[in-house]
Amino acid sequence: MTADSDGLMKKLVSLCKRRGYVFPSGEIYGGLQSSWDYGPLGVELKRNIESKWWEYMVSTRSNVTGMDTAIITHPRVWEASGHLEHFHDPLVDCLKCKSRFRQDHVRGNVCPDCGGELTEPRDFGLMFKTSVGAVEDDSSIVYLRPETCQSIFVNFRNVVTATRMKLPFGIAQTGKAFRNEITARNFVFRSREFEQMEMEFFCRPGEADRWFDYWTEERLRWYAELGIREENLRIRRHEESELAHYAKACVDIEYTFPFTGDGWGELEGIANRTDYDLRAHMNASGQDLSFHDQASNEKIVPWVVETSGGIGRTFLAVLLDAYREETVEGRERVVLGLHRDLAPIKVAVLPLSRKLSEQAEEVFRMVSPHFPATFDVTGSIGKRYRRMDEAGTPFCVTLDFDSLEDGAVTIRERDSLDQVRVPISTLVEKLTKIMERGWPEG
Ligand code: GAP
């Protein structure tokens, strides 16, 4: 990490705490390493990302349906999926400074932190194990899911029977996943508890390559639609040697995270998983998970194209991409230029003076049923604008003494700093247009 990129991460982490995006978990007890709690603004941004994903991947497509499966999963799921056998990382320790690294994250056998000598690699299991019921023995062992997709495969027949979906179709879900990462670091980029957004697209074996290309393009487009600058996104195809045990082909959508060695880090993986998972669960359970195509009267074990992204990584990319420092009118300001669809607070209602609080609260009560809004009367108007700029709030509505005469308020746009005066009676209508079409078309 360069001094600049280190500085950017420090500033962002500090802003996240200051404005209520993300807090270190268990902070009053010294913090739990690599665990993070999403605060009042963080939870809104996270939900906005997730609902944009659901809308793009599920609600607007007739051939993709959703589910929400259990986190504590039957141990045989992970035996059949190959996780118990394959899901571990080789780790090395520095003999001098005692830091621990994944072997594939270091070059040579010299510590990247202090230059010390590293140990031989040892395997480290990534699954979180726990037990259910009153007695802890081998028969009570269960696992917290390390990915959300396996329960989709296990439920394949249930979903087909319930929905009568025809090939090709997708099953999607979002939810928590858990991995006992050896080197959890870089804020929410790599944590032990995180949220995934996964979609398994079942198709005829001969069509998997085409769907793989289709979903790669669709997923890239989704990140661009969140407002992430296209030059900060790229697609990287995996080398044969990098492919996971289940994959025939894989690409990563990457973002220019400031802390990664070559400047790019994974946001999402798109994989052609073939029929590996359905067959593995058929073999292990003895159940038939094939698809009966009524038109051709064929039995098909579909191939799967998977799109698998992380909410935390998207959250971090969105914030990094939106963060900027600038000087306007001789004053420095920090701005989160978040896309208005993602911004946790969309409208801040600000009376110019405390004396106008009552009238401004009335405006807040008009606006808040329509948009996530806040009301702030504390501090000078300049300070309040800056607080909202840092929080990423796209529009401030200011009520001043003239408002008492002309019944109008001023809308200030965060990025251009342009202002328009509108009658209070048409404020909601005006804001609705701006939210739909962007500034200044509304
Ligand atoms: N079902 C396939 C699968 O889980 P993965 O590449 O291991 O593939 C998919 O994970 C996505 O989940 C990653 O691209 C990343 O966005 C997110 N992810 C994985 N491990 C993570 C971690 N420790 N912390 C935060 N996000 C993580």
Side-chain angles (χ1 to χ4, degrees):
M1 203 185 305
T2 64
D4 270 4
S5 56
D6 188 24
L8 172 61
M9 278 306 287
K10 280 194 180 131
K11 284 179 191 170
L12 189 76
V13 171
S14 152
L15 182 148
C16 280
K17 186 169 170 206
R18 199 164 64 241
R19 289 287 159 241
Y21 273 95
V22 181
F23 308 125
S25 190
E27 195 182 16
I28 61 167
Y29 295 106
L32 179 63
Q33 197 212 353
S34 311
S35 267
W36 302 98
D37 294 337
Y38 289 83
L41 295 194
V43 66
E44 298 292 342
L45 174 56
K46 200 155 69 73
R47 279 174 187 227
N48 290 345
I49 290 171
E50 187 180 352
S51 68
K52 292 284 277 181
W53 186 86
W54 196 265
E55 186 186 299
Y56 191 86
M57 297 295 286
V58 187
S59 329
T60 53
R61 295 175 195 266
S62 59
N63 62 349
V64 180
T65 192
M67 57 186 317
D68 183 10
T69 68
I71 285 171
I72 299 172
T73 327
H74 199 298
R76 288 192 58 202
V77 170
W78 308 111
E79 207 178 290
S81 67
H83 279 78
L84 288 180
E85 190 185 341
H86 296 285
F87 205 52
H88 35 74
D89 278 341
L91 74 95
V92 289
D93 291 301
C94 174
L95 293 167
K96 196 168 153 199
C97 72
K98 310 293 177 214
S99 296
R100 179 167 281 182
F101 305 96
R102 262 169 62 173
Q103 189 194 19
D104 58 332
H105 285 180
V106 291
R107 289 199 199 105
N109 71 338
V110 173
C111 171
D113 282 357
C114 76
E117 195 186 332
L118 300 174
T119 60
E120 286 298 308
R122 281 175 297 137
D123 269 351
F124 185 87
L126 290 174
M127 302 263 281
F128 276 105
K129 202 194 277 187
T130 185
S131 57
V132 285
V135 183
E136 280 186 35
D137 61 18
D138 283 355
S139 67
S140 69
I141 291 176
V142 289
Y143 295 91
L144 304 188
R145 62 185 181 196
E147 58 179 11
T148 62
C149 63
Q150 287 305 324
S151 304
I152 293 180
F153 301 128
V154 170
N155 274 292
F156 178 71
R157 198 173 59 194
N158 285 337
V159 175
V160 171
T161 309
T163 62
R164 312 226 146 265
M165 308 270 291
K166 303 269 179 289
L167 289 181
F169 69 90
I171 307 177
Q173 81 164 317
T174 63
K176 290 243 169 168
F178 301 82
R179 297 182 190 175
N180 198 2
E181 300 278 5
I182 309 158
T183 50
R185 54 175 66 168
N186 295 329
F187 201 29
V188 294
F189 181 84
R190 191 180 302 283
S191 45
R192 299 197 168 96
E193 176 179 340
F194 55 95
E195 276 158 271
Q196 289 190 313
M197 309 176 280
E198 298 202 295
M199 196 273 309
E200 310 303 313
F201 196 75
F202 300 88
C203 61
R204 288 165 199 281
E207 296 176 355
D209 289 343
R210 184 162 67 80
W211 286 113
F212 179 77
D213 293 343
Y214 170 82
W215 284 112
T216 302
E217 272 178 37
E218 281 292 278
R219 296 304 305 141
L220 185 64
R221 182 172 307 135
W222 183 75
Y223 287 101
E225 282 186 13
L226 296 185
I228 299 179
R229 279 165 285 172
E230 294 191 27
E231 66 269 24
N232 292 340
L233 292 165
R234 75 168 188 189
I235 287 174
R236 187 182 68 83
R237 188 168 269 273
H238 281 211
E239 304 287 335
E240 193 84 19
S241 59
E242 274 182 272
L243 290 175
H245 61 276
Y246 52 74
K248 178 179 173 253
C250 187
V251 295
D252 286 344
I253 297 182
E254 297 186 329
Y255 178 75
T256 50
F257 288 106
F259 40 75
T260 47
D262 66 350
W264 294 94
E266 176 187 338
L267 271 176
E268 165 155 352
I270 294 131
N272 176 348
R273 296 182 73 118
T274 69
D275 55 3
Y276 178 92
D277 304 274
L278 286 179
R279 283 202 189 275
H281 289 299
M282 280 167 79
N283 291 340
S285 66
Q287 305 274 325
D288 183 6
L289 299 179
S290 61
F291 180 87
H292 182 220
D293 184 21
Q294 295 190 332
S296 61
N297 206 20
E298 276 177 288
K299 264 189 155 190
I300 302 165
V301 180
W303 278 34
V304 172
V305 174
E306 171 184 77
T307 71
S308 175
I311 297 184
R313 287 194 191 177
T314 308
F315 180 98
L316 182 55
V318 159
L319 288 180
L320 282 166
D321 219 69
Y323 182 94
R324 64 177 198 271
E325 294 166 7
E326 61 191 21
T327 308
V328 281
E329 291 151 11
R331 284 190 183 194
E332 296 201 347
R333 68 168 189 162
V334 172
V335 187
L336 277 186
L338 293 173
H339 190 291
R340 60 189 182 282
D341 288 355
L342 294 183
I345 304 168
K346 311 226 187 283
V347 181
V349 179
L350 313 173
L352 191 67
S353 146
R354 243 174 219 288
K355 291 182 190 142
L356 298 164
S357 292
E358 208 178 297
Q359 293 87 341
E361 265 189 75
E362 245 174 70
V363 174
F364 171 77
R365 278 196 294 275
M366 274 174 66
V367 169
S368 59
H370 303 275
F371 315 101
T374 192
F375 176 79
D376 188 2
V377 71
T378 326
S380 72
I381 191 74
K383 275 202 181 127
R384 280 180 277 157
Y385 282 148
R386 267 156 202 56
R387 271 207 292 272
M388 286 302 132
D389 290 343
E390 273 202 349
T393 305
F395 306 107
C396 290
V397 171
T398 308
L399 188 124
D400 53 30
F401 288 101
D402 289 344
S403 309
L404 303 181
E405 306 297 322
D406 66 3
V409 284
T410 304
I411 306 176
R412 167 202 187 256
E413 198 268 340
R414 176 197 61 208
D415 298 321
S416 61
L417 295 174
D418 286 349
Q419 305 202 351
V420 291
R421 190 115 181 128
V422 292
I424 294 173
S425 56
T426 60
L427 177 65
V428 168
E429 195 188 321
K430 178 80 174 172
L431 285 170
T432 305
K433 277 192 193 154
I434 296 170
M435 296 295 171
E436 277 167 14
R437 301 179 202 165
W439 184 272
E441 280 82 3

